[in-house]
Amino acid sequence: MTAIRRCTLTAVPFGIATAAYAGIFLASYDRLPGRIATHFSGDGGADGFTSRTAALWFGGGLLLGLGLLFTVLTLAAKEGWGSRLTAAVGAGTAVTLGYPLALTVLVNTDVQDPADVQLPMWHVAVLLLAGVATGALAWWLTGTGPRPAPAPPTPSLPLAEGEAAAWSRTIASRALLLPAGVVTLCGLFVVAFGPWQAGLLPLVLGMACAPFTGARVTVDRRGLKVASTVLPRPRLVLPLGSIVSASSIQVNAMGDFGGWGYRIRPNRRGVVLRSGEALSVRTVGEREYVVTVDDSTTAAALINGLVNRHVERE
């Protein structure tokens, strides 16, 4: 399936959800109280309220904004596996959000006091099942993309017995650094000028993500190590004895792994901080580890040389 068709499949559920929500809201607008119940406790009783106008703009804006975000991510993923995943998650999200938003309007219609509104909690199970079913349908409709061509083999760097060699590079991720910085600044702003309790969560999340925006990749006689440039843990270590071969490949962060950071796929792991050049390492267990880093050809050649010397010793 082409990227345009996958983008369409991602955007359409959000378009339908937005149209349904706005249509139901506008049709019932004069029958809604000035402030409507928008949040409900575990027993279904209303415990949060919003003005009609704010609820309309917030719900519509949320659906449109997320629809645009998922569509752009699907387009960025091109024909890769991540495009299929993003389309499925996006379609499921459209239903999971659109259902409760529209339902909130319906239960507030013709109500005199919004505090009397009740929302049965069985609807939570319905919206979750509907979201999963829609996501699964989108996954099935998108189908599998073309298989990527295998990377050309990287030549081995010849190493004499007793000869020492090491390689190291540092890589930073703008895709992770920018959001981490924005979330941290938002948290600091709320802590300084608003209710400080509300700012703690984004502040902690932003600071927790910051150490993972940069990594140092090292290849030496011990194998491969990928560690944060800030913290000693967590880190990825592949002993030389567990490595079969290495090569230099090109990756698309969204298309191949569905995003940035430490990514997990069947028989494939990735430390993906950006798209582009990457080091691919295959281990004895037929698992592939991918690390986005510059000069990956040199790193792969050195790994192959170290592996060959290790095998010859045995």
Side-chain angles (χ1 to χ4, degrees):
M1 178 176 286
T2 65
I4 298 300
R5 290 180 62 187
R6 289 192 177 186
C7 289
T8 301
L9 191 60
T10 305
V12 165
F14 281 101
I16 294 174
T18 304
Y21 174 67
I24 293 172
F25 207 117
L26 293 175
S28 307
Y29 194 83
D30 294 333
R31 298 161 57 191
L32 295 170
R35 291 178 62 81
I36 65 175
T38 54
H39 191 273
F40 302 87
S41 61
D43 60 0
D47 61 0
F49 308 91
T50 308
S51 69
R52 286 183 300 182
T53 303
L56 174 60
W57 283 102
F58 174 79
L62 179 64
L63 289 171
L64 285 175
L66 287 176
L68 178 61
L69 174 63
F70 274 101
T71 302
V72 170
L73 291 177
T74 302
L75 183 62
K78 299 181 181 178
E79 294 293 329
W81 168 87
S83 175
R84 189 183 188 190
L85 176 64
T86 305
V89 173
T93 301
V95 173
T96 304
L97 288 178
Y99 181 96
L101 285 172
L103 183 63
T104 298
V105 178
L106 294 176
V107 297
N108 278 278
T109 303
D110 296 325
V111 171
Q112 298 299 319
D113 185 357
D116 297 331
V117 173
Q118 291 285 322
L119 183 65
M121 288 296 101
W122 59 263
H123 284 288
V124 175
V126 174
L127 71 90
L128 291 177
L129 288 174
V132 171
T134 304
L137 178 62
W139 177 272
W140 177 71
L141 289 175
T142 52
T144 57
R147 290 182 176 272
T154 299
S156 171
L157 180 66
L159 295 172
E161 185 63 32
E163 183 179 4
W167 174 96
S168 183
R169 287 290 187 277
T170 300
I171 179 67
S173 173
R174 295 179 181 177
L176 294 177
L177 185 60
L178 180 59
V182 170
V183 171
T184 302
L185 290 176
C186 289
L188 287 172
F189 180 83
V190 175
V191 168
F193 301 102
W196 64 269
Q197 299 91 337
L200 285 180
L201 180 59
L203 180 61
V204 171
L205 286 176
M207 295 182 66
C209 290
F212 300 97
T213 59
R216 174 165 287 278
V217 185
T218 303
V219 176
D220 57 23
R221 59 182 177 80
R222 292 167 293 187
L224 171 69
K225 182 175 73 172
V226 184
S228 167
T229 54
V230 179
L231 301 175
R233 295 285 192 280
R235 63 183 181 182
L236 170 67
V237 177
L238 296 179
L240 188 62
S242 69
I243 298 175
V244 174
S245 64
S247 60
S248 175
I249 63 173
Q250 293 290 321
V251 300
N252 179 299
M254 281 300 303
D256 295 323
F257 289 94
W260 297 263
Y262 184 73
R263 316 301 295 180
I264 299 177
R265 287 190 56 187
N267 294 322
R268 201 179 195 197
R269 302 290 186 269
V271 180
V272 183
L273 301 186
R274 55 152 174 78
S275 297
E277 186 179 357
L279 171 66
S280 171
V281 177
R282 294 194 175 275
T283 61
V284 176
E286 295 298 324
R287 178 171 290 175
E288 180 188 17
Y289 291 85
V290 176
V291 183
T292 53
V293 65
D294 295 326
D295 194 29
S296 59
T297 302
T298 302
L302 177 57
I303 289 176
N304 289 334
L306 291 167
V307 169
N308 290 341
R309 188 171 66 177
H310 179 77
V311 171
E312 290 174 358
R313 286 176 179 174
E314 295 182 346

